[in-house]
Amino acid sequence: MDSLSGTPEVPEVPARTEDTPGADTLRAELSFADSILADPAFADGAPAPFFAAATDAAPSQWRDTTSAAVFGAQSTLADPARIPLAPPPALTENAFFQGFVLLLAAAYAMLLYRNLGDVHMLLGRISRDAASGKRLTEETGGGGYSRFLNVSTAIGLLFLGVAAVKYGDMLMPGQFAASVPQRAALILSLLVSLASLGVVACQSVVIRLAGALTLSQPFIAQLILLKRTCFALGMILISPPLLLFVLCPPGTGGVWFSIVAVELAAAVVLYLKETLNLFLSKKVSILHWFLYLCTVEVFPVSLLWLLVAR
């Protein structure tokens, strides 16, 4: 107690200071961390010590290292996951193209409805057991039957165009859709039909010239009628599965395509058989039949294929 003021004397308590490291201490810790990171064992891929990895202090300088040194010797680089790009829309998904296909389906139904007698007579000839050289070359009804063959040929050529576009889109889904605008699918289909019409016209001109040179116009007329009849028959039988194949979504329709291929092969075999029977019935050698097939049937189609391939 102070004798003068009468107040008790309070002893002085020394101030408590926090243990803050000085500059020398931080410098020593950084030097120690650098010596740990520079250890050859750590450089070879061994994991860093816990106290070295948990140090919050930044190194004094940046160093180039490898992924094996950071993640271990067993680590490998992985490519980042990429989102696949959406495939281009199919050409057959165009509204104009599908509307045109449905219009062809309606025309096909009207043809069967209005010419049911001609269709029944044509199918009845095929179902006969006796094979004759004239069973598909007989005139049956004047102008009505001829008009039926002409309309069937026109619808068949249009079906050929839409089938070519569908098959090209199925065969080359990326390249074909990228090279042809989607709105041009209908125009491309009509161009294929027009090219097919050109092939038919070329075949007719060649065969009529051959008939004029050989003075065998009646035989040539029967041959042309046989070809038109077989084409109309093939169109009637192949069009239903062909419509389903064209209207199928992209990536589907393999079953219908197989049915179309089988029916097309059967129609070709029937045409070859009937033309051979016709040639034999007219006492024409098989050599002339081969010459007819190569000159009239194969050459124009192969020429068009070469022009398209170029």
Side-chain angles (χ1 to χ4, degrees), residues 23-205:
D24 295 337
T25 304
L26 291 177
R27 190 177 297 107
E29 290 180 356
L30 292 177
S31 300
F32 178 72
D34 291 341
S35 63
I36 291 298
L37 295 176
D39 191 359
F42 176 69
D44 292 339
F50 175 76
F51 56 85
T55 303
D56 295 334
S60 59
Q61 60 183 353
W62 295 98
R63 292 182 176 88
D64 294 333
T65 183
T66 61
S67 59
V70 178
F71 301 104
Q74 302 297 327
S75 62
T76 56
L77 294 177
D79 295 332
R82 298 179 180 179
I83 301 176
L85 298 177
L91 293 177
T92 55
E93 295 298 317
N94 188 5
F96 294 99
F97 181 80
Q98 291 185 351
F100 181 70
V101 174
L102 294 178
L103 183 62
L104 281 180
Y108 172 77
M110 288 297 298
L111 176 67
L112 296 183
Y113 176 74
R114 301 190 62 176
N115 300 274
L116 191 58
D118 295 328
V119 174
H120 184 267
M121 184 178 300
L122 186 59
L123 295 177
R125 290 182 175 186
I126 298 301
S127 61
R128 291 179 186 175
D129 295 333
S132 167
K134 296 183 179 180
R135 68 188 180 100
L136 285 181
T137 58
E138 299 170 349
E139 285 288 350
T140 58
Y145 185 72
S146 180
R147 183 169 56 253
F148 164 71
L149 293 181
N150 292 334
V151 175
S152 300
T153 302
I155 296 178
L157 292 177
L158 293 176
F159 271 125
L160 186 61
V162 297
V165 173
K166 175 64 178 182
Y167 181 72
D169 194 19
M170 182 185 70
L171 191 63
M172 300 179 298
Q175 299 86 347
F176 197 66
S179 59
V180 179
Q182 191 176 14
R183 294 182 178 271
L186 179 57
I187 300 177
L188 181 61
S189 172
L190 295 177
L191 289 178
V192 173
S193 301
L194 185 61
S196 302
L197 180 61
V199 171
V200 172
C202 179
Q203 291 175 345
S204 300
V205 170

Side-chain angles (χ1 to χ4, degrees), residues 279-296:
F279 271 76
L280 294 179
S281 66
K282 298 298 182 180
K283 301 298 187 288
V284 182
S285 64
I286 299 180
L287 179 61
H288 289 84
W289 178 67
F290 276 109
L291 183 61
Y292 160 76
L293 293 179
C294 296
T295 305
V296 179

